[in-house]
């Protein structure tokens, strides 16, 4: 059978833009076509197709990472969750589908327009009632929550997928907000593979700019005794942090 790539079906291949961390793009394509796309819920496919037409589609969570997050959330029985960095909502929908009907997602993004692009799909999927979307920078919302004891240790899962230069600022705050035994997932911790690029490597400007922050984050997480960590080469790299104290 001809692959979608041979068919020129570009819409199905946005994930290749994430630059596979595997041996070859063909291997990555194999995973997508064998195990991911056939099991992708129709609403997630619809959202992925809408997002593929948006100029910033490189930002979206890949379908294999969406599948991973969905299963992870079910495995840990996550109910109260947070997402920093929503874009059109692919990881948000993966989360909303995984948590129970009375589960919650506090979702933050400085851009409401992109969230609203995906919202009709989320509504149609019957999971919009789980989402509390806040437009604006995430840091002040976290600071406000920290002032109220009731939010301390209240989150089962937090997905961080926004401004990389603030990840350490988020980490300082999120460690108080996630419960002991709960998880924080920091996304893009392999930053396009640039974490191992030589200093003179030709990197796109934004990749170069954020690289130092990602390198600093990775070192800080590895040295933090309050968490156990696991860095996975899924998508652009995700580091799972389990709060242990
Ligand atoms: N998780 C999303 C998905 O599955 O499609 C992708 C998120 S995208 C990589 C990063 C998002 O972070 C953008 O939508 C951007 O507007 C948002 N962002 C940037 N700075 C932010 C901030 N300070 N607070 C909240 N969101 C921010
Ligand atoms: Ca990401």
């Amino acid at each position: 059978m001809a692959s979608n790539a041979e068919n020129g079906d570009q819409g199905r291949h946005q994930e290749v833009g994430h630059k596979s961390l595997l041996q070859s793009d063909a291997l990555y394509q194999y995973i997508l076509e064998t195990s991911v796309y056939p099991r992708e819920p129709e609403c997630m496919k619809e959202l992925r197709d809408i997002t593929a037409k948006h100029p910033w589609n490189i930002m979206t969570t890949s379908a294999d990472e969406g599948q991973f997050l969905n299963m992870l959330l079910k495995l840990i029985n996550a109910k109260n969750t947070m997402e920093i960095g929503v874009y059109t909502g692919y990881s948000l929908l993966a989360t909303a589908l995984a948590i129970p009907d009375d589960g919650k997602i506090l979702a933050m993004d400085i851009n409401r327009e992109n969230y609203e692009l995906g919202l009709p799909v989320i509504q149609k999927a019957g999971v919009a009632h789980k989402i509390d979307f806040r437009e604006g920078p995430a840091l002040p919302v976290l600071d406000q929550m920290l002032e109220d004891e009731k939010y301390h240790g209240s989150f089962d899962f937090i997905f961080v997928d926004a401004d990389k230069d603030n990840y350490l600022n988020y980490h300082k705050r999120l460690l108080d907000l996630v419960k002991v035994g709960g998880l924080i997932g920091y996304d893009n911790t392999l930053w396009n593979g640039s974490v191992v690029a030589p200093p003179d490597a030709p990197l796109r400007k934004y990749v170069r700019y954020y690289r130092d922050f990602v390198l600093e984050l990775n070192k800080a997480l590895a040295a933090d005794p309050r968490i156990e960590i696991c860095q996975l080469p899924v998508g652009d790299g995700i580091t799972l942090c389990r709060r242990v104290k």
Side-chain angles (χ1 to χ4, degrees), residues 77-228:
N77 289 316
K79 191 169 171 184
N80 193 31
T81 72
M82 187 195 301
E83 176 166 302
I84 303 178
V86 168
Y87 182 40
T88 61
Y90 192 80
S91 55
L92 185 65
L93 182 55
T95 305
L97 292 172
I99 62 177
D101 199 52
D102 59 345
K104 291 268 167 280
I105 313 168
L106 174 61
M108 290 168 267
D109 203 298
I110 48 174
N111 184 320
R112 177 185 286 274
E113 215 176 294
N114 293 332
Y115 167 63
E116 286 181 348
L117 206 60
L119 187 55
V121 180
I122 295 174
Q123 284 166 335
K124 203 164 65 175
V127 291
H129 64 281
K130 303 179 191 177
I131 299 166
D132 173 8
F133 179 82
R134 310 269 184 96
E135 181 184 8
L139 220 46
V141 180
L142 303 184
D143 282 334
Q144 208 180 351
M145 278 196 289
L146 283 169
E147 282 173 25
D148 190 339
E149 269 302 314
K150 81 169 186 236
Y151 293 111
H152 288 231
S154 66
F155 288 89
D156 303 308
F157 181 77
I158 301 171
F159 184 55
V160 183
D161 191 14
D163 42 342
K164 316 302 167 207
D165 44 348
N166 259 322
Y167 272 28
L168 272 178
N169 292 324
Y170 293 138
H171 186 62
K172 278 186 201 129
R173 290 154 176 86
L174 295 179
L175 265 182
D176 282 329
L177 297 172
V178 73
K179 71 178 184 192
V180 174
L183 275 185
I184 308 172
Y186 289 103
D187 203 35
N188 302 90
T189 56
L190 295 173
W191 200 231
N192 241 261
S194 71
V195 287
V196 291
D200 57 346
L203 300 175
R204 274 170 290 166
K205 219 169 150 191
Y206 83 95
V207 173
R208 179 171 299 285
Y209 174 73
Y210 289 111
R211 182 174 72 141
D212 289 346
F213 292 99
V214 175
L215 289 169
E216 199 190 343
L217 172 82
N218 288 339
K219 268 197 219 156
L221 296 181
D224 191 335
R226 297 166 299 176
I227 50 172
E228 293 170 346

Side-chain angles (χ1 to χ4, degrees), residues 18 58-62 65 159-162 164 167 187-188 236-237:
H18 285 248
I58 187 78
M59 293 207 302
T60 190
T61 297
S62 61
E65 185 172 6
F159 184 55
V160 183
D161 191 14
K164 316 302 167 207
Y167 272 28
D187 203 35
N188 302 90
D236 189 27

Side-chain angles (χ1 to χ4, degrees), residues 6-58:
E6 283 158 354
N7 291 336
D9 183 357
Q10 291 304 317
R12 299 272 289 171
H13 292 274
Q14 288 304 316
E15 286 78 8
V16 172
H18 285 248
K19 202 63 212 146
S20 166
L21 295 160
L22 294 170
Q23 264 175 24
S24 65
D25 279 347
L27 193 54
Y28 181 47
Q29 207 57 36
Y30 172 81
I31 295 173
L32 292 174
E33 287 176 12
T34 310
S35 307
V36 180
Y37 292 149
R39 302 301 297 261
E40 188 182 31
E42 202 45 49
C43 56
M44 294 199 54
K45 181 183 163 8
E46 197 183 330
L47 183 50
R48 191 158 55 78
D49 287 344
I50 290 169
T51 306
K53 294 183 195 111
H54 190 265
W56 306 339
N57 61 30
I58 187 78

